[in-house]
Amino acid sequence: MFPKQSRSREVISLDGLWNFSPDYDLCAGRDGWNSVLPYAEVMAVPASYNDIGVSARLRDHVGDVWYQRSFFVPAGWRGKRIFLYFGSVSYQATVYLNGEKLLSNSGGFLPFEVDISGQALIAEENALVVQVNNELHWDTLPPGEVVEQISLSGAVTRLQKQQHDFFNYAGIHRSVLLCATANTFIAYIAVETDFDNTTGIIDYRAELNNADTCEFEAQLLDRNGKLCATSTGITGQLIVPEVLLWSPNSPYLYKLRCSLTTAGELLDEYELNVGVRTVKISDGKLCINGQPVYLQGCGKHEDADIRGKGFDYPTYLRDMELLKWLGVNSYRTSHYPYAEEMMELADRYGILIIDEVPAVGMLGKAVTSSDGLSAVFVEGKLDEAAWQNHAATLRKLILRDRNHPSVIMWSISNEASTMELAAEPYFRRLCDLVRSLDGRPLINVDFAMIAPGTSMAAKYVDIIGLNLYFGWYSQCGDIAGGAAQLEEFLRAWYAAENKPIIITEYGADTIEGFHKLPATMFTEEFQRDFFAQYHAIFDKLPFVIGEHVWNFADFMTNQGIIRIDGNRKGIFTRQRQPKMAAHYLRERWQSRRAKL
Ligand code: GCB
């Protein structure tokens, strides 16, 4: 659970400047790097390290970098359970404390913790070192492949191959927190909400690390701190008369205060926000609190100048303000779980979230560089080891995010080669797993290369996600022709699957300040007209239950001939200023939102 201060819990941020050494010569582990780093470079935490300096060598480095800082544990923490929390380190992290290796974690975008109660020196200086590796392989998420390129002179360069379209930012991306709790503590809380007429129902389940002689109490407080309901026991139900429901237009949050006592003495306390709402698919519609909702919004990225994928409250808040200005009611965490702080903001702003794991780029093209797609659901690529990691990542995501009222569905993957027959057991088993953990609807995102009726994932999910770029990547520049193809494709998909469809991506690269009449590709007019013609089709098709433009803002990608300093499909620039299409979308979405 996200570390929070309470009457019993203490949290100290270790964000700031850390010592930093890139391991260009692959000498990891030599010369005592696990306690003292050889170079006197510094790095900001949290941040991606890639764009902070001015060297392409660091930006494009493939391999390890090392971070080090010291910290003190307050004397008053003696005898407590002490742990370190890492919000996200991309992608592999090995943590050393005072020279001793404590843990290796694989996978970015999700938190991990290290218990240091036995190792941390109290009221003394501790040396914390984190070895960070940014390599992607077939059994990581996202997958990738590291290849060696040998020049004529025999020099070897290691290159990271990847198929996903965002820069492979790396580093300590989210906050590092030093935390203390009592030794008997609340390890986990899960809530599920429902309502019956005006009565709210909150089922909760808590896990304690040691339940022997403690008493657990759950209190529900309203926004003014007034007690609305209480219950005791580690599982229970809170009944809320005259409940105020959570919805995009009225995101009311209660506070659930959980406390653990023994003989009247407080051992642990943890508070979390709870929104009472239901999510269901009914008659082919997505319903929040029993009311059909049409999703309007965008796919996003955690991406900004200089800090890359580093956590940054000002950028996050600016994004939320822009989403509100647009009249958006939802977004997808394309293509990975976002910071927990961002999920809390979505709860507060009333944004519905499609929560995605980093299962992106599960395709076989760039790696082979041949035309078309080569098989990837094969031994040595997306095999059992890869499946296990995908499953574990979904499990971690659900454990982390299940209590957020904003989260309305789980996204299993983005643009995988789902037409391969071997993808059938892969997706069936993943969907079974997710359904055994949580009742929210499932979506999988397919794309134009998956012919209607051929997706092995579509049959196991509740909602079809489609990323479509007719008129851009095909029929280039011909929006009307693209729109005709769009309608045909959508109708064929619906006929094959008979499930509601969300257009999870559609858009056109647009350079701000480029104008032309009649519109041509890359101009602001083209982006606006592209959206308008797509919308005319969506509005005709009742099975389309949502539209998410690609992308909220311009974002960085690898260099290449179809990218002009990154992907420019943003309706905002990377600096979060509107392009012309943002004004058009605002008109459409604000007027529709008013009718919700
Ligand atoms: C897609 C991908 C997204 C890309 C986008 C594009 O279908 O899901 O990651 O950035 O297309 O702009 O090509």
Side-chain angles (χ1 to χ4, degrees):
M1 295 193 295
F2 187 65
K4 289 182 189 165
Q5 276 192 318
S6 72
R7 284 175 191 78
S8 64
R9 295 183 170 222
E10 293 180 73
V11 179
I12 295 174
S13 169
L14 299 185
D15 293 351
L17 285 183
W18 290 47
N19 298 320
F20 183 73
S21 287
D23 183 8
Y24 293 128
D25 307 318
L26 306 179
C27 64
R30 281 206 324 243
D31 312 325
W33 282 30
N34 51 4
S35 49
V36 181
L37 298 186
Y39 312 118
E41 292 181 40
V42 285
M43 185 49 65
V45 171
S48 301
Y49 58 75
N50 310 76
D51 289 350
I52 290 191
V54 293
S55 110
R57 191 178 188 204
L58 177 59
R59 184 193 62 203
D60 301 332
H61 172 60
V62 179
D64 289 347
V65 298
W66 292 64
Y67 288 75
Q68 188 265 354
R69 69 162 284 161
S70 61
F71 67 88
F72 291 89
V73 176
W77 287 16
R78 208 178 294 277
K80 294 198 174 214
R81 166 184 167 254
I82 304 168
F83 64 97
L84 290 166
Y85 163 94
F86 294 83
S88 147
V89 181
S90 289
Y91 286 98
Q92 276 72 245
T94 305
V95 179
Y96 302 86
L97 186 67
N98 301 325
E100 193 184 326
K101 176 175 162 182
L102 294 189
L103 164 134
S104 284
N105 180 71
S106 183
F109 309 113
L110 285 166
F112 61 92
E113 292 178 4
V114 199
D115 192 317
I116 57 169
S117 314
Q119 288 79 19
L121 304 172
I122 310 290
E124 293 287 336
E125 190 166 359
N126 289 280
L128 173 63
V129 169
V130 187
Q131 176 186 5
V132 179
N133 180 284
N134 67 351
E135 291 174 26
L136 299 173
H137 304 280
W138 276 105
D139 60 356
T140 61
L141 280 185
E145 209 171 293
V146 177
V147 296
E148 291 194 342
Q149 188 173 275
I150 305 174
S151 73
L152 287 177
S153 67
V156 179
T157 317
R158 301 178 81 232
L159 294 178
Q160 177 68 62
K161 293 280 183 191
Q162 62 175 62
Q163 327 237 21
H164 52 279
D165 182 37
F166 51 90
F167 189 83
N168 192 36
Y169 282 117
I172 302 183
H173 277 158
R174 298 180 190 155
S175 288
V176 182
L177 304 172
L178 174 66
C179 318
T181 68
N183 284 303
T184 303
F185 59 94
I186 303 165
Y188 189 66
I189 302 162
V191 295
E192 267 176 46
T193 65
D194 201 348
F195 63 92
D196 184 8
N197 281 316
T198 57
T199 305
I201 305 161
I202 302 173
D203 286 301
Y204 70 85
R205 175 175 58 80
E207 286 167 21
L208 313 177
N209 75 317
N210 170 4
D212 284 355
T213 54
C214 309
E215 279 136 43
F216 182 89
E217 185 181 15
Q219 297 186 326
L220 192 75
L221 309 172
D222 72 10
R223 219 179 243 172
N224 302 318
K226 191 173 138 255
L227 188 65
C228 304
T230 68
S231 171
T232 53
I234 53 168
T235 58
Q237 195 170 68
L238 295 155
I239 302 293
V240 197
E242 301 305 324
V243 68
L244 292 166
L245 297 179
W246 184 98
S247 71
N249 282 331
S250 173
Y252 192 90
L253 291 171
Y254 291 90
K255 185 165 282 172
L256 182 66
R257 179 177 293 160
C258 300
S259 55
L260 196 61
T261 50
T262 182
E265 185 199 333
L266 182 72
L267 291 175
D268 196 14
E269 181 189 76
Y270 191 86
E271 291 185 347
L272 78 156
N273 289 332
V274 174
V276 180
R277 58 102 188 87
T278 58
V279 184
K280 283 194 186 84
I281 309 280
S282 146
D283 286 338
K285 301 284 175 217
L286 173 69
C287 297
I288 306 294
N289 301 334
Q291 300 296 320
V293 173
Y294 183 87
L295 297 187
Q296 49 190 36
C298 47
K300 281 185 98 280
H301 263 298
E302 287 185 324
D303 175 274
D305 276 338
I306 302 172
R307 53 185 58 75
K309 293 201 175 307
F311 168 78
D312 181 53
Y313 257 136
T315 309
Y316 286 8
L317 268 179
R318 170 79 181 169
D319 286 6
M320 297 312 282
E321 287 298 314
L322 292 176
L323 292 170
K324 206 166 84 178
W325 176 83
L326 280 170
V328 153
N329 65 3
S330 53
Y331 72 77
R332 176 170 62 124
T333 69
S334 39
H335 292 303
Y336 38 79
Y338 291 2
E340 287 179 77
E341 293 87 338
M342 194 67 174
M343 306 307 287
E344 293 229 330
L345 281 178
D347 294 342
R348 288 169 73 157
Y349 275 76
I351 304 278
L352 304 169
I353 300 288
I354 301 180
D355 212 356
E356 187 157 283
V357 277
V360 55
M362 294 165 61
L363 289 169
K365 56 173 194 238
V367 170
T368 60
S369 77
S370 58
D371 291 334
L373 304 178
S374 59
V376 286
F377 287 91
V378 294
E379 211 40 52
K381 291 190 173 172
L382 298 175
D383 56 13
E384 184 59 23
W387 186 89
Q388 289 292 347
N389 185 41
H390 197 153
T393 309
L394 276 163
R395 200 179 286 119
K396 279 189 211 160
L397 175 74
I398 293 168
L399 281 178
R400 193 195 73 161
D401 285 355
R402 66 185 314 154
N403 292 332
H404 290 285
S406 53
V407 174
I408 53 157
M409 71 186 82
W410 308 112
S411 171
I412 308 291
S413 81
N414 179 79
E415 298 191 353
S417 286
T418 54
M419 70 295 190
E420 288 178 36
L421 290 182
E424 192 274 331
Y426 189 101
F427 282 96
R428 175 171 35 81
R429 290 165 65 212
L430 283 182
C431 294
D432 285 351
L433 169 79
V434 175
R435 290 192 199 284
S436 73
L437 298 171
D438 189 74
R440 262 166 271 226
L442 307 190
I443 187 170
N444 186 70
V445 177
D446 277 306
F447 65 126
M449 289 181 90
I450 309 295
T454 64
S455 168
M456 296 295 148
K459 54 184 161 182
Y460 296 114
V461 293
D462 306 294
I463 298 171
I464 308 292
L466 289 175
N467 296 344
L468 299 173
Y469 293 93
F470 303 117
W472 183 260
Y473 287 124
S474 59
Q475 295 123 300
C476 307
D478 174 11
I479 304 180
Q485 170 97 37
L486 169 79
E487 180 170 355
E488 206 177 296
F489 193 81
L490 285 172
R491 287 188 187 279
W493 255 85
Y494 184 66
E497 303 296 342
N498 196 26
K499 290 182 183 174
I501 296 177
I502 296 173
I503 317 306
T504 31
E505 289 181 25
Y506 59 109
D509 284 78
T510 305
I511 311 297
E512 70 278 13
F514 274 27
H515 292 282
K516 203 162 241 183
L517 270 180
T520 52
M521 292 172 84
F522 297 100
T523 63
E524 297 204 30
E525 285 80 3
F526 188 92
Q527 189 185 36
R528 184 204 50 199
D529 294 355
F530 183 96
F531 288 145
Q533 295 214 30
Y534 267 54
H535 292 153
I537 307 295
F538 301 163
D539 292 348
K540 280 208 284 197
L541 304 175
F543 54 83
V544 170
I545 61 156
E547 57 191 48
H548 278 180
V549 299
W550 190 253
N551 186 284
F552 171 76
D554 293 347
F555 58 91
M556 198 41 65
T557 63
N558 283 344
Q559 299 180 61
I561 49 169
I562 61 161
R563 292 289 173 256
I564 306 165
D565 191 29
N567 187 311
R568 306 298 290 268
K569 293 194 187 67
I571 54 172
F572 296 99
T573 63
R574 203 180 189 210
Q575 294 71 36
R576 273 59 177 180
Q577 298 302 339
K579 299 180 191 170
M580 206 161 107
H583 296 280
Y584 155 73
L585 288 166
R586 175 170 196 251
E587 244 167 66
R588 172 177 169 85
W589 288 342
Q590 286 290 7
S591 67
R592 294 164 71 102
R593 187 159 182 160
K595 289 183 218 130
L596 287 177

